[in-house]
Amino acid sequence: MTGSGRVGGGGGSWERGGRSAAPGLRGEPREASALQPGGEEPCTSFIPEAQEVLDLVDQCPAQVQKGRFPVIVIEGLDATGKTTVTQSVSDSLKAVLLKSPPSCISQWRKIFDDEPTIIRRAFYSLGNYIVASEIAKESTKSPVVVDRYWHSTATYAIATEVSGGLQHLPPIHHPIYQWPRDLLKPDLILLLTVSPEERMQRIEGRGMEKTREEAELETNSIFRQKVEVCYQRMENPGCHVVDASPSREKVLQMVLSVIQNNCNYL
């Protein structure tokens, strides 16, 4: 990680906050060693789905505007109750519920998760721009609740790129923590948190197969801490932290209160 405001990996970073993430799918090499002259290979030649992602991005307007209804993003590590809360909030607000990556490309998530970091992060970054066009459309008709958005992409990318402990993360107010200038901005971002111990109890209780991210969070406490700190350092907009340890009803009540106070809605 340098001070240039880039996040990515695999030896060829993509600019933080722009559709220039697309080179990760258009022509970045599979491995860092392929950065040698003549080693470039278009990603679409070995991942056919990459071309479909790029086609969807090309169909999105270069600039989109949010409608008059509020857009609320809910972030959080696995097992913080994010799925339950997003559904409950969308029901309470009679809102449209969207996810990032959006449904139109989420079926390829496993394919890109198995690719090198530069390609995987390009997939998630471009997914944000695709869902932004959906947000723009839906927010003209009703409130919108989004299950993860840019902050997830950025925090995991930074935590992956920065080797070592928390002291090596970019400092507070570094440009890396700013919202991308060309990405539709939500009205409010909520970050659900629970203690590491409770989170692990919930994961074990679910008995579900762990995602790649979850396996890393579980085995590497430093990585988890870096993700959590990056979430807290995000700015413009930052995250409103909500303790998701109480009952579902209590958490929903707290979340709706934050929405009412910050979006002047409800």
Side-chain angles (χ1 to χ4, degrees):
M1 170 72 66
T2 67
S4 63
R6 293 172 179 253
V7 286
S13 299
W14 39 268
E15 291 290 343
R16 177 230 179 281
R19 293 194 191 185
S20 49
L25 298 189
R26 293 189 194 278
E28 292 289 356
R30 288 174 68 95
E31 304 293 347
S33 60
L35 283 172
Q36 301 301 320
E40 289 80 2
E41 177 186 4
C43 175
T44 53
S45 67
F46 53 86
I47 311 176
E49 294 81 4
Q51 186 60 58
E52 297 189 58
V53 174
L54 292 169
D55 289 344
L56 287 169
V57 173
D58 289 340
Q59 293 170 20
C60 297
Q63 293 289 339
V64 293
Q65 298 293 325
K66 188 184 77 66
R68 65 187 183 89
F69 288 94
V71 176
I72 296 106
V73 175
I74 299 180
E75 298 273 7
L77 304 183
D78 284 355
T80 55
K82 183 169 54 63
T83 301
T84 300
V85 170
T86 52
Q87 186 62 64
S88 298
V89 171
S90 63
D91 290 343
S92 298
L93 299 181
K94 294 181 173 55
V96 172
L97 175 56
L98 300 175
K99 295 184 179 183
S100 186
S103 58
C104 58
I105 65 171
S106 59
Q107 70 269 26
W108 301 318
R109 185 172 179 174
K110 179 64 169 64
I111 294 172
F112 288 96
D113 277 349
D114 290 337
E115 290 296 329
T117 303
I118 180 66
I119 296 173
R120 187 170 72 252
R121 292 305 170 200
F123 169 75
Y124 284 102
S125 178
L126 292 176
N128 290 320
Y129 286 85
I130 295 172
V131 81
S133 64
E134 297 180 3
I135 293 171
K137 176 182 176 182
E138 298 297 341
S139 62
T140 63
K141 300 177 289 186
S142 69
V144 177
V145 175
V146 190
D147 185 343
R148 290 192 172 182
Y149 196 23
W150 174 259
H151 281 359
S152 283
T153 305
T155 54
Y156 280 92
I158 297 168
T160 300
E161 281 290 285
V162 175
S163 59
L166 300 177
Q167 70 273 21
H168 298 295
L169 288 173
I172 297 173
H173 305 313
H174 188 281
I176 200 73
Y177 301 121
Q178 296 293 315
W179 192 266
R181 291 185 297 272
D182 61 348
L183 182 63
L184 184 148
K185 188 183 298 185
D187 295 285
L188 178 67
I189 300 177
L190 298 162
L191 175 63
L192 305 182
T193 64
V194 297
S195 69
E197 296 76 19
E198 180 171 352
R199 204 173 63 83
M200 289 311 304
Q201 289 178 357
R202 292 183 180 186
I203 291 172
E204 292 169 359
R206 292 191 308 189
M208 298 174 63
E209 182 180 354
K210 296 181 179 66
T211 63
R212 180 172 180 168
E213 290 178 348
E214 186 50 53
E216 179 74 4
L217 291 168
E218 180 180 347
T219 59
N220 188 339
S221 62
I222 297 299
F223 179 76
R224 174 181 53 77
Q225 291 172 34
K226 287 192 291 186
V227 170
E228 291 174 336
V229 169
C230 287
Y231 265 127
Q232 294 168 5
R233 290 184 181 180
M234 290 294 163
E235 295 181 307
N236 190 35
C239 297
H240 287 257
V241 179
V242 175
D243 179 9
S245 300
S247 66
R248 293 179 181 180
E249 293 74 16
K250 180 65 174 177
V251 173
L252 176 60
Q253 183 181 8
M254 289 190 294
V255 167
L256 293 177
S257 176
V258 174
I259 293 171
Q260 183 176 25
N261 292 335
N262 289 272
C263 298
N264 205 18
Y265 191 83
L266 286 176

